[in-house]
Amino acid sequence: MSTEPAAPPAADAPRDFIRQIVRDDLAAGRHGAIHTRFPPEPNGYLHIGHAKAICLSFGVAREFDGWCNLRLDDTNPGREDPEFVEGIKEDVRWLGYDWHELRHASDYFEVFYRAALKLIGDGLAYVDDLSADEVRAYRGTLTEPGRDSPFRDRGVEENLDLFRRMRAGEFADGSKTLRAKIDMAAGNINLRDPALYRIRKVAHQNTGDAWPIYPMYDFAHALSDALEGITHSLCTLEFEDHRPLYDWCVDKVDLPNHPELWQPLLEAGLKTVPAKPRQIEFSRLNLSYCITSKRKLAQLVNEGHVDGWDDPRMNTLRGLRRRGFTPAGIRLLVDRVGVSKQNSVIDYAVFESCIREDLDASAPRRMAVLDPLKLVVINLPEGHEETLVFANHPKDESFGTREVPFSREVWIEREDFTEVPPKGFKRLVPGGEVRLRGVGIVKCDEVVKDAGGHVVELRVSLDPESRHGLPGADRKVKGTIHWVAAARAVAAEVRLYDRLFDVPAPDDEGDGRPWTAHINPDAKRVVQGWLEPAAAAAAPEQRFQFERLGYFVADREDHRPGAPVFNRVVTLRDTWAKGA
Ligand code: ATP
Ligand code: MG
């Protein structure tokens, strides 16, 4: 960890208000180094909204030569599952970040308990016997002050005794709380003697039955930040009203000056240098056509609307991953959206364009046919096969080349041929010409139909002068179509995904229908397609542009080189834009 001021950022480095605060703090020598954290609750998998918080906290730490902790906020026993902890770690790494230390809020239960005893000793907290309903009734409203609990003036000794007995498990769930003694008339309701501890006799996944009491979020979160020496605690805007309480907890407990409170951590081998953190809020990432609530994402899984948390239609990070979205494309979205205090909804098309932008540069090209129609080149000998060499990327030679088999019979897309062309149709028509990509120009001599009048085969002749590399190859025809050599094509299952919801704001349409009524039934369509061999041979998670069709990824669970399964990541153009 360096104590030198961080190097000046590159000219194109993000310059949002949070980075400006960090820059100013470093310039003023307020911190030797920047420490941040990302604090998810392990009660579900991470979603696209979390990506913003991850990129920000880990990104700022990286840019300014500091570090970022991954802290699992596991203060709610019973709600949290170790499976989610592993999933969160995997997703953060996949996005391209690594943590300085992995911590759990439950590592600090003993510290929180000692801090609570200190507050009681200082006359700043008391045990309250009011029920939850009574507490609510005493709290007042936005326009009316609250009333003091009849238990507010208990003496320090009595409070210490009662709180120790709460900890010993002597009282029933909900029968008592420990409350901060702040101000029942405060304009900010969060300061009207908020609860610090509640009784819950529920086993915890890390601490087992050790604790019958659990700290409340505001208390645990503020103290966790202070304990870990977090300098900038970045969170979303809904915590703005909690900041005075956050600061109250940090200041009144004053961990840096009370090492006796955190001694147990040092004994347990945790390196801790407590500091006074500063909370800074930013606006959430909201995307149209997306759900960013873990509870609702869980509902989609539990009610069987999707095939699990990693279903490619889900906007969880693992769903996006399986769909073929790239970490770089997601980071690009977060960059584009920027960091501010302004709440807004970002159009999903912006997200898709970020993914396209990344994949256009990073995905090699291949050919695939998803709705096949047979085309026979009648002026090539029966059984003719040859090997062509194609560039893997039209704009980047470093991608190299590959061999593409060509044969007398090829598959083309059914929609690249029509008998009755609409105006402007540039592809194949009876008697017309089209370029077979990388081969040459073919003319449609004959249309073969079955008994029902359905087109089953096109018989074409290849202009030998137009073959790739020959002088006639530059002859102009209107259209170029892709193809796959029938003799060497590999059959593939191709999953065509689209947006999971058919309205932009599924949970806020105001049409009286439940949000699940807006699930798009056409968001998944499975077809059988044909791939060129070099696409079929892909490793799981390899992404390609299938020319003229879109970007596709070899499914990370189901794809096998001998039995390929591809998911459509995104089409080449925005098919949802008006008029598209
Ligand atoms: P949910 O309400 O879906 O459970 P949460 O906000 O409670 O989500 P946490 O696990 O507590 O989820 O979130 C961890 C961090 O991610 C928090 O700091 C939170 O502010 C941030 N975060 C969550 N959703 C978003 C979002 N849509 N945009 C930006 N940051 C977010
Ligand atoms: Mg939460």
Side-chain angles (χ1 to χ4, degrees):
M1 192 195 320
S2 121
T3 49
E4 297 291 307
D12 61 349
R15 294 203 153 261
D16 52 74
F17 79 98
I18 290 181
R19 287 169 168 95
Q20 196 52 53
I21 290 171
V22 169
R23 221 170 268 129
D24 291 347
D25 285 350
L26 285 170
R30 272 178 216 115
H31 311 288
I34 293 305
H35 301 156
T36 59
R37 88 287 170 266
F38 171 61
E41 184 177 357
N43 60 345
Y45 286 101
L46 300 177
H47 54 63
I48 184 61
H50 291 116
K52 178 173 182 179
I54 295 170
C55 292
L56 185 59
S57 284
F58 282 96
V60 163
R62 185 183 284 172
E63 284 156 44
F64 292 94
D65 255 338
W67 50 250
C68 181
N69 278 352
L70 174 59
R71 182 195 315 137
L72 297 151
D73 168 28
D74 58 351
T75 51
N76 269 324
R79 287 245 309 269
E80 295 143 359
D81 190 325
E83 173 197 335
F84 296 135
V85 174
E86 287 315 305
I88 288 169
K89 287 158 65 176
E90 196 179 53
D91 290 346
V92 169
R93 287 209 172 101
W94 176 74
L95 252 196
Y97 299 101
D98 207 351
W99 44 91
H100 173 66
E101 284 188 286
L102 177 76
R103 298 275 186 108
H104 290 80
S106 57
D107 297 339
Y108 312 142
F109 280 174
E110 181 63 29
V111 181
F112 300 155
Y113 177 67
R114 290 182 180 208
L117 288 171
K118 172 181 185 290
L119 290 179
I120 295 171
D122 292 344
L124 293 170
Y126 61 98
V127 173
D128 197 354
D129 295 0
L130 291 184
S131 69
D133 286 340
E134 289 166 328
V135 166
R136 216 167 292 123
Y138 274 75
R139 186 177 294 138
T141 64
L142 284 174
T143 48
E144 276 171 64
R147 285 175 292 136
D148 287 358
S149 160
F151 303 98
R152 196 173 199 262
D153 292 322
R154 275 179 164 149
V156 166
E157 287 313 315
E158 186 186 359
N159 279 319
L160 285 172
D161 174 61
L162 287 172
F163 186 57
R164 287 197 175 105
R165 288 164 60 197
M166 279 168 67
R167 194 261 174 272
E170 285 187 29
F171 306 114
D173 280 17
S175 61
K176 290 188 180 357
T177 52
L178 181 73
R179 297 178 69 178
K181 195 169 186 174
I182 307 181
D183 179 4
M184 287 307 293
N188 182 335
I189 292 182
N190 292 309
L191 294 179
R192 294 184 189 169
D193 291 10
L196 301 177
Y197 264 95
R198 64 203 191 288
I199 303 174
R200 283 203 72 201
K201 293 177 179 163
V202 174
H204 183 282
Q205 68 275 12
N206 279 349
T207 58
D209 292 325
W211 295 90
I213 55 173
Y214 290 94
M216 301 302 287
Y217 175 83
D218 287 303
F219 183 62
H221 184 234
L223 295 191
S224 302
D225 282 350
L227 266 173
E228 293 177 15
I230 303 303
T231 55
H232 299 79
S233 175
L234 312 179
C235 64
T236 37
L237 274 181
E238 67 270 25
F239 294 105
E240 198 165 23
D241 286 348
H242 294 242
R243 190 180 348 124
L245 176 55
Y246 178 97
D247 288 339
W248 186 93
C249 293
V250 167
D251 290 340
K252 299 302 181 193
V253 173
D254 191 17
L255 285 167
N257 291 311
H258 290 274
E260 73 280 6
L261 301 179
W262 34 280
Q263 192 57 34
L265 288 186
L266 301 184
E267 284 161 16
L270 276 187
K271 290 193 281 302
T272 275
V273 186
K276 181 173 159 55
R278 169 172 177 190
Q279 174 177 306
I280 307 170
E281 308 85 16
F282 60 93
S283 60
R284 295 173 73 87
L285 173 62
N286 301 307
L287 269 181
S288 65
Y289 298 95
C290 284
I291 290 285
T292 46
S293 142
K294 275 182 270 179
R295 185 178 57 77
K296 288 184 174 169
L297 290 167
Q299 194 181 336
L300 287 171
V301 174
N302 296 334
E303 292 180 1
H305 299 290
V306 294
D307 307 324
W309 287 94
D310 70 343
D311 186 300
R313 292 166 290 183
M314 292 276 275
N315 55 259
T316 51
L317 292 182
R318 50 197 42 220
L320 294 168
R321 174 178 183 177
R322 190 152 177 204
R323 172 77 170 264
F325 279 41
T326 57
I330 294 172
R331 294 195 302 262
L332 184 61
L333 170 76
V334 172
D335 258 19
R336 290 257 153 98
V337 166
V339 179
S340 75
K341 281 187 175 280
Q342 205 63 47
N343 269 315
S344 65
V345 179
I346 306 299
D347 193 325
Y348 194 73
V350 174
F351 191 15
E352 291 176 321
S353 74
C354 290
I355 300 301
R356 282 191 194 100
E357 188 169 325
D358 178 38
L359 288 175
D360 179 43
S362 65
R365 275 41 172 181
R366 293 289 184 268
M367 291 200 292
V369 170
L370 299 186
D371 183 13
L373 173 62
K374 183 164 283 183
L375 183 141
V376 182
V377 184
I378 52 177
N379 58 339
L380 288 176
E382 199 74 46
H384 175 87
E385 276 192 44
E386 59 186 278
T387 300
L388 306 175
V389 176
F390 274 48
N392 284 327
H393 199 291
K395 296 174 241 178
D396 188 342
E397 280 183 14
S398 71
F399 280 74
T401 59
R402 72 183 185 284
E403 296 189 338
V404 180
F406 170 62
S407 58
R408 182 172 186 266
E409 298 190 352
V410 300
W411 297 110
I412 66 164
E413 293 294 342
R414 187 164 282 280
E415 66 168 25
D416 283 336
F417 169 80
T418 184
E419 287 187 283
V420 197
K423 199 162 171 283
F425 189 81
K426 295 197 176 93
R427 294 158 284 165
L428 203 54
V429 296
E433 282 187 321
V434 77
R435 181 181 304 280
L436 277 191
R437 162 103 168 90
V439 177
I441 297 170
V442 294
K443 178 161 181 262
C444 180
D445 298 325
E446 190 186 338
V447 179
V448 183
K449 297 184 181 174
D450 64 13
H454 188 65
V455 178
V456 290
E457 185 178 303
L458 303 176
R459 298 175 72 78
V460 304
S461 48
L462 172 63
D463 172 4
E465 299 301 316
S466 72
R467 294 294 315 260
H468 181 74
L470 293 183
D474 290 339
R475 182 158 75 79
K476 291 269 175 287
V477 283
K478 276 197 218 133
T480 299
I481 63 175
H482 65 277
W483 51 272
V484 173
R488 302 284 301 281
V490 182
E493 176 179 326
V494 181
R495 301 170 179 168
L496 301 174
Y497 290 107
D498 205 339
R499 297 177 186 180
L500 180 55
F501 297 99
D502 52 18
V503 292
D507 46 0
D508 194 20
E509 276 300 299
D511 59 359
R513 303 170 69 203
W515 63 276
T516 47
H518 299 294
I519 291 173
N520 172 11
D522 300 323
K524 178 181 183 184
R525 200 157 59 81
V526 180
V527 299
Q528 207 237 249
W530 293 106
L531 309 183
E532 64 165 287
E541 288 203 84
Q542 189 168 341
R543 302 176 185 86
F544 295 115
Q545 182 191 105
F546 288 167
E547 293 193 12
R548 300 180 62 231
L549 296 177
Y551 295 98
F552 290 76
V553 66
D555 188 75
R556 68 187 286 243
E557 297 292 334
D558 301 336
H559 171 84
R560 302 283 175 277
V565 178
F566 275 84
N567 303 327
R568 183 169 66 200
V569 185
V570 64
T571 52
L572 290 180
R573 275 171 293 114
D574 181 5
T575 51
W576 286 69
K578 288 199 177 61

